[in-house]
Amino acid sequence: MSDVFCSDCKRQTEVVVDHSAGDTVCSECGLVLESHSIDETSEWRTFANESGDNDPVRVGGPTNPLLTDGGLSTVIAKPNGASGEFLTSSLGRWQNRGSNPDRGLIVAFKSIATMSDRLGLVATIKDRANEIYKRVEDQKSSRGRNQDALLAACLYIACRQEDKPRTVKEICSVANGATKKEIGRAKEYVVKQLGLEKGQSVEMGTIHAGDFMRRFCSNLGMNNQAVKAAQEAVQKSEEFDIRRSPISIAAAVIYIITQLSDDKKPLKDISVATGVAEGTIRNSYKDLHPYVFKIIPNWYAKEEDLNNLCSP
């Protein structure tokens, strides 16, 4: 029993839950506080002497509109006993003979889900990547291409389109051995195929340096004040014509912010956290240095601190 506020008693009272009827009843006045409630607990009990491969779940996974059968195909399980083994061997052979047209898609979707989980991506990005791969696969022109690079490219494009971009190096780290060059080629191929399907160029979304800032700062363990200053600085940097990639600008801004703080970060650590080469960070820092008085927030660093900032 637990305490719940009763509208008749005008106070917290103990309630009794009738699981068979789905009712929650006040133990003092008998008022039904909630009816036809759904029991979300398991519908089975597992005992220690039961075999580990005995799955008591009576429902399948959610439907998938990208698959021919909606992902609701039937798989014949292996029963126990000698007669069961004979029955399984016969039915199993017939089941394996039946060609599943979605077998390749199912494997691809599982691979995309694994990469998404390793990168901590939300379900909407994973679903978008699945949709992109299905559209490319329907054109029957991807045979012979590097499958791992193709799946990684679909995930990269999905991140861009959902305004949650990841760097190619981050995608490459979970791409099962596919190189940055292979993923880049696969990305160009996917964009081309999607463009042919729609008859127009594919919208990839614009990348801003601020899209990477919070994640990079988190990788470096920067405090909240430094993160806020870095976000403001990178936003102001967009007002100037700094011809560097957004990722390089983000790394250079982080380097400046950390040099102005008590917790200075070595250039090597920033390179590892952002995936940007040390030489690229230095060159981006040179391009940003003339604008430090305009992009660094006044509340974070004084003018004398900016004057003491190492010149490139």
Side-chain angles (χ1 to χ4, degrees):
M1 292 190 295
S2 59
D3 291 344
V4 176
F5 182 81
C6 176
S7 56
D8 272 12
C9 300
K10 307 296 184 184
R11 58 186 175 85
Q12 295 280 345
T13 60
E14 290 188 351
V15 295
V16 178
V17 180
D18 184 356
H19 294 282
S20 60
D23 294 338
T24 303
V25 184
C26 175
S27 60
E28 297 191 10
C29 66
L31 177 68
V32 177
L33 302 176
E34 185 179 358
S35 61
H36 299 93
S37 58
I38 299 176
D39 186 5
E40 298 180 353
T41 59
S42 302
E43 61 174 345
W44 64 86
R45 292 183 298 169
T46 302
F47 299 96
N49 60 346
E50 290 185 353
S51 60
D53 59 351
N54 181 25
D55 187 3
V57 178
R58 298 190 299 171
V59 295
T63 59
N64 190 340
L66 299 178
L67 300 178
T68 304
D69 57 4
L72 299 178
S73 58
T74 300
V75 177
I76 302 173
K78 180 180 178 180
N80 298 323
S83 59
E85 291 178 2
F86 172 76
L87 181 65
T88 303
S89 63
S90 302
L91 293 178
R93 283 198 299 269
W94 282 105
Q95 178 172 263
N96 292 331
R97 287 177 185 174
S99 59
N100 185 358
D102 294 329
R103 183 172 299 174
L105 283 178
I106 294 173
V107 173
F109 292 168
K110 286 183 179 179
S111 181
I112 289 175
T114 301
M115 290 190 292
S116 300
D117 290 341
R118 291 178 64 185
L119 288 173
L121 303 177
V122 295
T124 52
I125 296 178
K126 181 193 70 175
D127 294 340
R128 175 64 68 92
N130 289 343
E131 179 188 350
I132 292 172
Y133 178 79
K134 176 68 163 56
R135 288 163 57 188
V136 174
E137 187 67 17
D138 286 345
Q139 299 185 37
K140 306 296 182 183
S141 60
S142 61
R143 181 170 296 180
R145 293 187 173 272
N146 187 327
Q147 189 73 2
D148 292 329
L150 194 65
L151 295 173
C154 292
L155 189 61
Y156 174 81
I157 295 172
C159 291
R160 291 276 300 269
Q161 292 183 343
E162 292 293 325
D163 294 327
K164 300 293 181 183
R166 292 295 188 274
T167 65
V168 178
K169 183 170 285 189
E170 288 177 302
I171 298 293
C172 184
S173 66
V174 298
N176 299 321
T179 64
K180 290 174 62 177
K181 192 172 183 179
E182 291 171 336
I183 295 174
R185 289 176 178 173
K187 185 200 75 171
E188 294 177 359
Y189 167 76
V190 172
V191 171
K192 180 181 178 181
Q193 294 302 312
L194 296 179
L196 292 174
E197 179 193 38
K198 287 188 173 183
Q200 59 184 5
S201 60
V202 179
E203 180 62 36
M204 289 279 290
T206 306
I207 295 181
H208 300 281
D211 296 332
F212 307 97
M213 188 58 67
R214 182 168 289 278
R215 189 166 68 256
F216 289 167
C217 292
S218 176
N219 293 340
L220 285 165
M222 296 169 60
N223 58 51
N224 293 333
Q225 190 177 22
V227 173
K228 183 180 178 182
Q231 288 178 319
E232 290 186 20
V234 82
Q235 188 174 3
K236 291 181 180 178
S237 69
E238 296 181 356
E239 301 174 3
F240 306 98
D241 184 20
I242 303 171
R243 300 185 180 182
R244 290 285 175 178
S245 69
I247 302 171
S248 300
I249 293 175
V253 167
I254 290 175
Y255 177 71
I256 294 172
I257 292 297
T258 56
Q259 294 307 303
L260 293 170
S261 68
D262 296 331
D263 185 19
K264 292 179 173 57
K265 305 291 184 182
L267 191 60
K268 182 179 179 180
D269 291 353
I270 298 175
S271 176
V272 172
T274 61
V276 182
E278 293 183 32
T280 304
I281 298 176
R282 288 193 189 97
N283 292 331
S284 301
Y285 173 61
K286 291 178 183 178
D287 294 340
L288 278 173
H289 191 269
Y291 307 103
V292 291
F293 289 95
K294 297 179 180 179
I295 66 175
I296 302 300
N298 296 330
W299 57 266
Y300 185 76
K302 298 178 182 180
E303 186 175 348
E304 57 185 33
D305 296 329
L306 297 176
N307 287 324
N308 294 332
L309 195 65
C310 297
S311 59

